[in-house]
Amino acid sequence: GYNFKKGIKSFRNNYEDNKKRVDEKRKENDEKEDGKKIVFTYPKDYGFPQFKKYKKAHSYPTIIKVENIDIDNKKVFIPKIGWVKHAPNQKIPAFIYPSKSLGSPYVSTNGRDFFLSFGYYRAFQELKKEKTNVIGVDLGMKNIATLNTGEIIANFADDEKLKKYEKDKIKLQKKLSKLRDKGKSTVFRPYILTKEEKEKISKNERSKKYAELAKQRYKLSTNQTRRIEKAIKTLQIKINNRRDNLYNETCHKLITEKNPSGIMFENLKIKNMQQNKKWSPKLQKTAMYRFKKTLIWHAKKHKIPCREVSTQFASSQLCSSCGYKNEEMKDLSIRVYKCPKCGMIMDRDKNAGINLQKQWNAKS
């Protein structure tokens, strides 16, 4: 519980100390004729203590030494807990660390499993392949990315496994809501009286009504609902892991196979695109910015520079061969670019990728 004596003491001490400071500031304000005057904030400047907000922590830092890792028996010694076995598929690498303790070890949880994460020194392995030309990446909703070479990276929202997990999750959520709706009549509701009822009903009658409602309290968390909640949590973890794997796997594969000298992106205003009600649900699932961010991270790891074109540059409207601007391409339903000047016919996204690649030399 809350210690009221300590709370009153802290309130008095804080108030007396801050009162002097506030009075001095007020005098300075009164003396000032010209210039900006101090604005007092409530409750900080008026001497009220700021109480700490306690939350359920999902992670905490620890101190783990290299000696406390048993690689053969697959065990780790965690302070205040002891020796803990780790999963057999998670192999801790044999490494030589400059210091005796590991770099920033953290124990965290996702609601189902517990993880121990730490940093260690490892020599960076550079790509042995020769560097190729610059890659122009055109982002989209139908396909998350289209390269200037014509290669397509499919939208991760259309992945079959992800769709299956999401369908199962929706079914379980509906089942859980139905179970909770059954107990709606017996759920405890706070009894609020109006002014007219307060005048009519005495205190004893009021307390009796509260007691009757308390008896009708229904516990929503039954064994059945707990099982369903656990299943929903596991499905959500599977969805997150699948998404992370798809993003990182595709970006790593793209950079290791191509090894480009540079990557050129287009700068999209996604917030403006989300205002359209038809596009916003699909845009949220595609997460173009997340793909862009992961690709930049993998590129920086191999020292590959990345750049962005300004939002004013119309990559999909310009012809990649002659440079003619076709304003009819503003309509997104037109998927093939047809140039009325030179007669070039090409896929809309591939044409945009070539324009982005050409813009690299213009920028540099």
mmCIF file of all heavy atoms in Angstrom, residues 194-211:
data_model
loop_
_atom_site.group_PDB
_atom_site.id
_atom_site.type_symbol
_atom_site.label_atom_id
_atom_site.label_comp_id
_atom_site.label_asym_id
_atom_site.label_seq_id
_atom_site.Cartn_x
_atom_site.Cartn_y
_atom_site.Cartn_z
ATOM 1 N N THR A 194 -28.354 9.576 -9.013
ATOM 2 C CA THR A 194 -28.644 10.957 -9.410
ATOM 3 C C THR A 194 -28.983 11.781 -8.170
ATOM 4 O O THR A 194 -29.139 11.243 -7.065
ATOM 5 C CB THR A 194 -29.830 10.985 -10.393
ATOM 6 O OG1 THR A 194 -30.957 10.363 -9.769
ATOM 7 C CG2 THR A 194 -29.484 10.250 -11.682
ATOM 8 N N LYS A 195 -29.134 13.092 -8.322
ATOM 9 C CA LYS A 195 -29.463 13.975 -7.187
ATOM 10 C C LYS A 195 -30.835 13.656 -6.599
ATOM 11 O O LYS A 195 -31.042 13.708 -5.380
ATOM 12 C CB LYS A 195 -29.425 15.429 -7.645
ATOM 13 C CG LYS A 195 -28.017 15.949 -7.864
ATOM 14 C CD LYS A 195 -28.046 17.408 -8.285
ATOM 15 C CE LYS A 195 -26.628 17.928 -8.517
ATOM 16 N NZ LYS A 195 -26.642 19.356 -8.942
ATOM 17 N N GLU A 196 -31.760 13.325 -7.469
ATOM 18 C CA GLU A 196 -33.126 12.993 -7.016
ATOM 19 C C GLU A 196 -33.148 11.700 -6.197
ATOM 20 O O GLU A 196 -33.837 11.598 -5.184
ATOM 21 C CB GLU A 196 -34.052 12.855 -8.227
ATOM 22 C CG GLU A 196 -34.284 14.172 -8.954
ATOM 23 C CD GLU A 196 -35.083 13.986 -10.236
ATOM 24 O OE1 GLU A 196 -35.431 12.836 -10.564
ATOM 25 O OE2 GLU A 196 -35.350 15.003 -10.899
ATOM 26 N N GLU A 197 -32.382 10.695 -6.644
ATOM 27 C CA GLU A 197 -32.311 9.418 -5.927
ATOM 28 C C GLU A 197 -31.605 9.561 -4.580
ATOM 29 O O GLU A 197 -31.974 8.893 -3.603
ATOM 30 C CB GLU A 197 -31.575 8.378 -6.773
ATOM 31 C CG GLU A 197 -32.412 7.828 -7.912
ATOM 32 C CD GLU A 197 -31.658 6.834 -8.778
ATOM 33 O OE1 GLU A 197 -30.411 6.900 -8.831
ATOM 34 O OE2 GLU A 197 -32.326 6.000 -9.398
ATOM 35 N N LYS A 198 -30.621 10.421 -4.521
ATOM 36 C CA LYS A 198 -29.907 10.640 -3.253
ATOM 37 C C LYS A 198 -30.816 11.221 -2.174
ATOM 38 O O LYS A 198 -30.695 10.911 -0.987
ATOM 39 C CB LYS A 198 -28.719 11.578 -3.483
ATOM 40 C CG LYS A 198 -27.490 10.871 -4.003
ATOM 41 C CD LYS A 198 -26.350 11.858 -4.188
ATOM 42 C CE LYS A 198 -25.134 11.152 -4.794
ATOM 43 N NZ LYS A 198 -24.020 12.088 -5.035
ATOM 44 N N GLU A 199 -31.713 12.095 -2.588
ATOM 45 C CA GLU A 199 -32.656 12.702 -1.637
ATOM 46 C C GLU A 199 -33.674 11.676 -1.124
ATOM 47 O O GLU A 199 -34.059 11.693 0.043
ATOM 48 C CB GLU A 199 -33.388 13.865 -2.303
ATOM 49 C CG GLU A 199 -32.497 15.072 -2.544
ATOM 50 C CD GLU A 199 -33.190 16.147 -3.366
ATOM 51 O OE1 GLU A 199 -34.367 15.949 -3.738
ATOM 52 O OE2 GLU A 199 -32.540 17.161 -3.658
ATOM 53 N N LYS A 200 -34.085 10.766 -2.005
ATOM 54 C CA LYS A 200 -35.101 9.769 -1.632
ATOM 55 C C LYS A 200 -34.505 8.617 -0.811
ATOM 56 O O LYS A 200 -35.054 8.220 0.214
ATOM 57 C CB LYS A 200 -35.760 9.198 -2.890
ATOM 58 C CG LYS A 200 -36.636 10.205 -3.608
ATOM 59 C CD LYS A 200 -37.199 9.597 -4.891
ATOM 60 C CE LYS A 200 -38.007 10.628 -5.665
ATOM 61 N NZ LYS A 200 -38.495 10.065 -6.953
ATOM 62 N N ILE A 201 -33.372 8.060 -1.276
ATOM 63 C CA ILE A 201 -32.793 6.855 -0.663
ATOM 64 C C ILE A 201 -31.874 7.235 0.492
ATOM 65 O O ILE A 201 -31.072 8.165 0.395
ATOM 66 C CB ILE A 201 -31.997 6.042 -1.721
ATOM 67 C CG1 ILE A 201 -32.941 5.582 -2.825
ATOM 68 C CG2 ILE A 201 -31.297 4.844 -1.099
ATOM 69 C CD1 ILE A 201 -32.257 5.107 -4.077
ATOM 70 N N SER A 202 -31.990 6.479 1.566
ATOM 71 C CA SER A 202 -31.111 6.691 2.724
ATOM 72 C C SER A 202 -29.770 5.987 2.507
ATOM 73 O O SER A 202 -29.592 5.220 1.551
ATOM 74 C CB SER A 202 -31.777 6.148 3.989
ATOM 75 O OG SER A 202 -31.996 4.754 3.845
ATOM 76 N N LYS A 203 -28.837 6.206 3.444
ATOM 77 C CA LYS A 203 -27.499 5.620 3.329
ATOM 78 C C LYS A 203 -27.530 4.102 3.452
ATOM 79 O O LYS A 203 -26.785 3.391 2.790
ATOM 80 C CB LYS A 203 -26.579 6.205 4.397
ATOM 81 C CG LYS A 203 -26.097 7.601 4.083
ATOM 82 C CD LYS A 203 -25.120 8.076 5.131
ATOM 83 C CE LYS A 203 -24.621 9.484 4.795
ATOM 84 N NZ LYS A 203 -23.668 9.963 5.825
ATOM 85 N N ASN A 204 -28.400 3.595 4.315
ATOM 86 C CA ASN A 204 -28.499 2.139 4.518
ATOM 87 C C ASN A 204 -28.999 1.432 3.250
ATOM 88 O O ASN A 204 -28.482 0.381 2.864
ATOM 89 C CB ASN A 204 -29.440 1.815 5.693
ATOM 90 C CG ASN A 204 -28.851 2.266 7.020
ATOM 91 O OD1 ASN A 204 -27.633 2.237 7.195
ATOM 92 N ND2 ASN A 204 -29.704 2.678 7.935
ATOM 93 N N GLU A 205 -30.019 2.010 2.630
ATOM 94 C CA GLU A 205 -30.564 1.435 1.388
ATOM 95 C C GLU A 205 -29.526 1.470 0.252
ATOM 96 O O GLU A 205 -29.442 0.551 -0.564
ATOM 97 C CB GLU A 205 -31.820 2.208 0.973
ATOM 98 C CG GLU A 205 -33.031 1.904 1.841
ATOM 99 C CD GLU A 205 -34.240 2.732 1.448
ATOM 100 O OE1 GLU A 205 -34.124 3.552 0.510
ATOM 101 O OE2 GLU A 205 -35.283 2.552 2.076
ATOM 102 N N ARG A 206 -28.761 2.550 0.230
ATOM 103 C CA ARG A 206 -27.718 2.689 -0.784
ATOM 104 C C ARG A 206 -26.637 1.612 -0.621
ATOM 105 O O ARG A 206 -26.199 0.995 -1.587
ATOM 106 C CB ARG A 206 -27.086 4.070 -0.683
ATOM 107 C CG ARG A 206 -26.440 4.554 -1.978
ATOM 108 C CD ARG A 206 -25.711 5.852 -1.768
ATOM 109 N NE ARG A 206 -26.579 6.900 -1.249
ATOM 110 C CZ ARG A 206 -26.145 8.048 -0.728
ATOM 111 N NH1 ARG A 206 -24.856 8.278 -0.643
ATOM 112 N NH2 ARG A 206 -26.987 8.955 -0.284
ATOM 113 N N SER A 207 -26.227 1.383 0.611
ATOM 114 C CA SER A 207 -25.201 0.366 0.894
ATOM 115 C C SER A 207 -25.709 -1.038 0.570
ATOM 116 O O SER A 207 -24.947 -1.886 0.111
ATOM 117 C CB SER A 207 -24.770 0.429 2.359
ATOM 118 O OG SER A 207 -25.877 0.185 3.209
ATOM 119 N N LYS A 208 -27.011 -1.277 0.764
ATOM 120 C CA LYS A 208 -27.611 -2.577 0.422
ATOM 121 C C LYS A 208 -27.560 -2.817 -1.088
ATOM 122 O O LYS A 208 -27.287 -3.935 -1.549
ATOM 123 C CB LYS A 208 -29.066 -2.641 0.897
ATOM 124 C CG LYS A 208 -29.211 -2.931 2.373
ATOM 125 C CD LYS A 208 -30.668 -2.910 2.779
ATOM 126 C CE LYS A 208 -30.812 -3.070 4.278
ATOM 127 N NZ LYS A 208 -32.236 -3.008 4.707
ATOM 128 N N LYS A 209 -27.817 -1.764 -1.855
ATOM 129 C CA LYS A 209 -27.780 -1.885 -3.323
ATOM 130 C C LYS A 209 -26.369 -2.184 -3.818
ATOM 131 O O LYS A 209 -26.176 -2.987 -4.731
ATOM 132 C CB LYS A 209 -28.299 -0.596 -3.976
ATOM 133 C CG LYS A 209 -29.808 -0.493 -3.957
ATOM 134 C CD LYS A 209 -30.294 0.526 -4.947
ATOM 135 C CE LYS A 209 -31.811 0.482 -5.044
ATOM 136 N NZ LYS A 209 -32.329 1.370 -6.087
ATOM 137 N N TYR A 210 -25.396 -1.537 -3.163
ATOM 138 C CA TYR A 210 -23.997 -1.794 -3.513
ATOM 139 C C TYR A 210 -23.623 -3.248 -3.198
ATOM 140 O O TYR A 210 -22.887 -3.891 -3.958
ATOM 141 C CB TYR A 210 -23.067 -0.850 -2.747
ATOM 142 C CG TYR A 210 -22.954 0.529 -3.357
ATOM 143 C CD1 TYR A 210 -23.286 1.664 -2.629
ATOM 144 C CD2 TYR A 210 -22.496 0.697 -4.659
ATOM 145 C CE1 TYR A 210 -23.182 2.939 -3.174
ATOM 146 C CE2 TYR A 210 -22.380 1.959 -5.222
ATOM 147 C CZ TYR A 210 -22.726 3.072 -4.479
ATOM 148 O OH TYR A 210 -22.618 4.332 -5.033
ATOM 149 N N ALA A 211 -24.124 -3.762 -2.095
ATOM 150 C CA ALA A 211 -23.830 -5.141 -1.689
ATOM 151 C C ALA A 211 -24.441 -6.150 -2.665
ATOM 152 O O ALA A 211 -23.819 -7.169 -2.997
ATOM 153 C CB ALA A 211 -24.368 -5.387 -0.281
#
